[in-house]
């Protein structure tokens, strides 16, 4: 009997006798290549849908009637995408937040059939003039490929999560021809970690995905714009922060509109099929009113006039129109991502603000096309809450180091402003509406149900304040932790003696003799209470840069030690009962 291909691959991998890191690198690279080919196929589907739904009818209809027939064609596209999803029985989701949820709670299981259906529906939506992005479907398609291959090879769930991140990174890298941006997107948004074990496979997959699609579309940057001369110090110090504020306000508006649109559409009277029809008519009307600037072929299509080559008020109106069209497209039954529309909104807003600033500020200080590019990063940082992805993406798309400082300034200011004005971004807001709260790759709802008292280690060796160095060393040798709690006579916490402090004490031992006591080596650390949640504990560990934190009872006596490892172990154990 012929051996199954999957079994042959498993046998081949076993014969290599690779360690886990090497295995993830090899499989991650393979996922990158396959995901890149999947993106090429997806783009071909978009081209076909655009030809059938927009290009061919437009070539046979009178040009002056575009305002009449374009809404009808977009309406047909949205209804078709809605029908494909409904007919297939695919549940809502199959988007980037859904992949985040799969990684955090469902052992990185991303089923391929729903992903394939949503990919087809996205191609129809995008090719038919709907206002959505191609990056979401490419990231989810890559994540599905990574999950499927990991399950076929029977790779353990914790490594499967990394491979899902590899697929998402490759999908983004291929969509934007930006390998580092793809890698940071997966690490920052999908996995929620920059650990060494995840970083290398994700980067390899991202580069593989970008190189694969370059075979078909070339290796050039997406945008070719003039080099930005030496940026004026005043522009960096005063003007770009103002652009960051504007981007933060627009990001909050974009996120709120996107999250509120489904409830608004659901209140539309009539049968369910009427919603994509009406939504398509409105979106098509908005696109036609813009003279086609809001439309494209589904790929990253941001027309040149958007980069500061129009009146400032017209560009601001286009940014607002894009927000409305995107929210309505996805709420009315269309499929697609929100990343590319966010880039478009940022370009229009930044270009408009740049034109206005250039008219108000004398001299050649403000360059509108530069503000448009930097505005793209500002909107992405504020709307997705992923500043590193925003900075790297726009930098890679321009390949111009002159943008680095403005990108950092605008992205950070936009992120801080958006957080003040909107509680959630595009991705975490979608999950929050469904009762899911994720942060840094973990489920906050689970972390809120677990408490410090049930997770901490109560049997930690301790020493009294006047204990000698030898006694402290003996306690350190009896514990698996890197800290020894130092207590007073009433068992109140004085501080923690770390291995680093013990090393310093040993070096000074000859000079100090027997003068050193435990209290001299104890470093004061703000303790936690047993009734606090693990979410609060993890936030405290992250904020203080610690791997362990002491826990004290309400009366101030020492209760135990809580470590980062015990928090994550308790979280994973709780998830095994949830999923």
């Amino acid at each position: 009997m012929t051996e199954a291909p999957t079994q042959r691959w498993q046998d081949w991998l076993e014969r290599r006798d690779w360690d886990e890191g090497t295995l993830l690198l090899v499989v991650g690279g393979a996922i990158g290549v396959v995901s890149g080919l999947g993106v090429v196929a997806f783009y071909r589907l978009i081209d076909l849908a655009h030809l059938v739904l927009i290009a061919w009818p437009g070539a046979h209809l009178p040009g002056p009637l575009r305002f009449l027939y374009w809404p009808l064609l977009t309406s047909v596209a949205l209804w078709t995408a809605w029908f494909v999803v409904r007919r297939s029985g695919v549940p809502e989701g199959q988007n980037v937040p859904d992949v985040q949820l799969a990684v955090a709670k469902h052992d990185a299981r991303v089923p391929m059939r729903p992903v394939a259906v949503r990919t087809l529906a996205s191609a129809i939506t995008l090719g038919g003039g709907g206002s959505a992005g191609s990056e979401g479907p490419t990231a989810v398609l890559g994540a599905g490929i990574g999950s499927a291959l990991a399950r076929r090879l029977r790779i353990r769930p914790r490594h499967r999560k990394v491979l899902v991140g590899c697929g998402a990174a490759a999908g983004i890298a291929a969509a934007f021809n930006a390998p580092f941006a793809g890698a940071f997107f997966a690490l920052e948004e999908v996995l929620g970690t920059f650990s060494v074990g995840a970083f290398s496979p994700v980067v390899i997959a991202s580069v593989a995905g970008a190189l694969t699609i370059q075979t078909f579309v070339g290796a050039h940057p997406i945008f070719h714009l003039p080099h930005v001369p030496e940026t004026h110090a005043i522009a960096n110090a005063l003007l770009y922060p103002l652009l960051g504020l504007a981007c933060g306000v627009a990001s909050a508006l974009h996120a709120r509109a996107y999250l509120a649109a489904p409830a608004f559409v659901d209140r539309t009277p009539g049968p369910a099929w009427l919603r994509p029809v009406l939504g398509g008519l409105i979106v098509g009307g908005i696109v036609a009113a813009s003279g086609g600037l809001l439309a494209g072929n589904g790929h990253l299509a941001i027309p040149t006039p958007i980069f500061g080559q129009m009146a400032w008020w017209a560009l601001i109106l286009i940014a607002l129109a894009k927000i409305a069209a995107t929210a309505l497209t996805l709420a009315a039954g269309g499929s697609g991502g929100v990343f590319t529309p966010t880039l478009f909104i940022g370009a229009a807003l930044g270009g408009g603000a740049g034109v206005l600033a250039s008219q108000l500020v004398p001299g050649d200080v403000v360059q509108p096309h530069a503000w448009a590019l930097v505005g793209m990063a500002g909107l992405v940082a504020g709307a997705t809450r992923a500043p590193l992805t925003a900075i790297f993406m726009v930098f890679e798309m321009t390949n111009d180091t002159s943008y680095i400082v403005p990108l950092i300034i605008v992205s950070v200011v936009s992120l801080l402003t958006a957080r003040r004005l909107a509680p959630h971004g595009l991705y975490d807001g979608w999950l929050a509406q469904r009762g899911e709260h994720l942060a840094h790759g973990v489920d906050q709802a689970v972390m809120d149900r677990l408490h410090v008292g049930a997770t901490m280690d109560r049997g930690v060796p301790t020493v009294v304040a006047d204990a000698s160095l030898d006694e402290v060393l003996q306690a350190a040798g009896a514990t698996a932790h890197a800290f020894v709690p130092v207590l007073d006579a009433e068992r109140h916490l004085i501080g923690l003696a770390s291995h680093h402090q013990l090393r310093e004490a040993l070096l000074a031992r000859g000079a100090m003799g027997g003068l050193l006591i435990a209290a001299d080596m104890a470093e004061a650390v703000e303790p936690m209470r047993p009734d606090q949640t693990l979410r609060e504990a993890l936030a405290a560990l992250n904020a203080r840069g610690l791997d362990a934190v002491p826990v004290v009872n309400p009366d101030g006596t020492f209760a135990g030690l809580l470590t980062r490892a015990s928090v994550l172990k308790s979280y994973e154990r709780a998830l095994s009962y949830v999923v």
Side-chain angles (χ1 to χ4, degrees):
M1 188 174 186
T2 305
E3 191 177 19
T6 301
Q7 186 62 47
R8 288 201 300 270
W9 271 106
Q10 287 178 320
D11 294 341
W12 184 84
L13 289 173
E14 290 174 3
R15 289 195 296 270
R16 302 283 78 76
D17 194 26
W18 288 328
D19 58 34
E20 292 179 344
T22 304
L23 177 63
L24 289 178
L25 288 175
V26 172
V27 178
I31 290 172
V33 173
V34 177
S35 298
L37 294 174
V39 173
V40 173
F42 176 56
Y43 280 176
R44 296 294 182 264
L45 281 175
I46 294 174
D47 293 337
L48 177 61
H50 186 72
L51 175 66
V52 172
L53 294 169
I54 298 293
W56 186 86
H60 293 81
L61 292 170
L65 297 179
R66 169 181 287 189
F67 189 82
L68 296 178
Y69 69 75
W70 195 302
L72 294 174
L73 298 176
T74 303
S75 180
V76 170
L78 259 63
W79 179 87
T80 305
W82 169 85
F83 180 77
V84 167
V85 173
R86 185 179 180 88
R87 185 72 174 177
S88 303
V90 172
E92 65 173 356
Q94 288 74 57
N95 50 18
V96 171
D98 218 20
V99 174
Q100 293 175 322
L101 187 63
V103 168
K105 292 185 65 173
H106 303 303
D107 288 337
R109 291 183 177 272
V110 183
M112 274 304 296
R113 180 180 175 276
V115 169
V117 171
R118 281 288 181 181
T119 301
L120 176 59
S122 298
I124 296 170
T125 301
L126 296 169
S131 180
S134 62
E135 90 299 326
T138 60
V140 176
L141 180 61
I145 292 171
S147 177
L149 185 57
R151 282 182 279 128
R152 287 276 186 178
L153 297 177
R154 298 175 185 172
I155 292 176
R156 286 179 291 180
R158 68 186 183 92
H159 290 154
R160 189 190 306 152
K161 295 179 180 181
V162 175
L163 296 180
V164 166
C166 288
I172 291 292
F176 293 104
N177 198 6
F180 280 107
F184 275 95
F185 177 85
L187 294 168
E188 192 173 21
E189 282 291 338
V190 176
L191 298 179
T193 178
F194 287 87
S195 66
V196 176
F199 188 85
S200 296
V202 167
V203 170
I204 291 295
S206 186
V207 172
L211 291 176
T212 299
I213 201 167
Q214 284 174 10
T215 306
F216 300 88
V217 302
H220 54 79
I222 293 177
F223 300 115
H224 294 282
L225 290 175
H227 172 77
V228 177
E230 188 68 26
T231 307
H232 199 284
I234 296 177
N236 280 339
L238 299 176
L239 299 180
Y240 275 121
L242 296 178
L243 176 59
L245 287 172
C247 289
V249 173
S251 298
L253 177 63
H254 181 29
R256 287 183 177 276
Y258 167 71
L259 297 174
F264 174 78
V265 171
D266 287 344
R267 289 197 295 268
T268 304
W273 62 263
L274 187 61
R275 294 165 189 165
V277 172
L278 293 177
L281 288 172
I282 298 173
V283 171
I286 295 174
V287 171
S290 72
L293 285 177
L294 293 178
N297 59 4
H299 302 264
L300 186 62
I302 304 180
T304 303
I306 298 299
F307 293 93
Q309 298 182 17
M310 299 174 61
W312 68 267
W313 56 267
L315 289 169
I316 301 299
L317 284 178
I318 286 175
L320 295 174
K322 189 66 174 179
I323 291 174
T326 302
L328 189 55
T329 295
L330 298 175
S335 295
V338 293
F339 204 103
T340 307
T342 303
L343 289 172
F344 187 108
I345 296 164
L349 176 69
V355 172
L356 178 61
S358 67
Q359 296 173 358
L360 298 176
V361 179
D364 192 25
V365 175
V366 177
Q367 300 165 29
H369 74 267
W371 278 47
L373 283 165
V374 176
M376 293 165 65
L379 254 291
V380 170
T384 68
R385 312 294 164 91
L388 290 178
T389 300
I391 293 168
F392 274 96
M393 177 161 291
V394 176
F395 171 67
E396 278 193 283
M397 289 193 294
T398 59
N399 279 343
D400 193 335
T401 56
S402 302
Y403 288 101
I404 292 178
V405 173
L407 286 173
I408 294 173
I409 292 174
V410 173
S411 295
V412 171
V413 174
S414 175
L415 176 64
L416 296 176
T417 305
R419 281 180 170 169
R420 285 284 217 172
L421 300 178
H424 300 291
L426 296 171
Y427 296 147
D428 60 335
W430 189 90
L431 291 170
Q433 287 184 336
R434 288 148 185 83
E436 304 288 352
H437 301 275
L438 306 182
H440 306 293
V442 298
D443 181 8
Q444 293 181 338
V446 173
M447 298 291 274
D448 283 335
R449 292 197 298 268
L450 302 175
H451 291 85
V452 170
T455 306
M456 66 182 182
D457 184 356
R458 298 178 180 273
V460 181
T462 63
V463 295
V464 294
D466 59 352
S468 67
L469 177 58
D470 288 335
E471 291 175 310
V472 179
L473 290 172
Q474 184 178 2
T479 180
H481 305 303
F483 301 92
V484 176
V486 181
L487 313 179
D488 62 14
E490 286 76 31
R491 289 192 59 80
H492 292 107
L493 179 72
I494 295 177
L496 298 179
S498 68
H499 284 182
H500 173 72
Q501 291 157 331
L502 289 177
R503 247 189 337 266
E504 295 293 325
L506 285 172
L507 292 175
R509 188 173 190 174
M512 303 295 295
L515 299 179
L516 281 175
I517 60 174
D520 298 326
M521 295 174 277
E523 181 179 352
V525 178
E526 185 69 24
M528 302 201 72
R529 304 185 311 275
D531 61 341
Q532 289 184 273
T533 67
L534 290 195
R535 180 179 173 184
E536 294 173 299
L538 191 59
L541 290 168
N542 290 335
R544 302 170 194 173
L546 298 174
D547 290 321
V549 63
V551 183
V552 299
N553 294 312
D555 61 0
T557 58
F558 178 74
L561 196 66
L562 182 74
T563 65
R564 188 183 299 271
S566 64
V567 170
L568 297 178
K569 184 177 180 181
S570 181
Y571 167 75
E572 291 178 355
R573 185 168 58 247
L575 278 187
S576 66
Y577 295 101
V578 174
V579 299

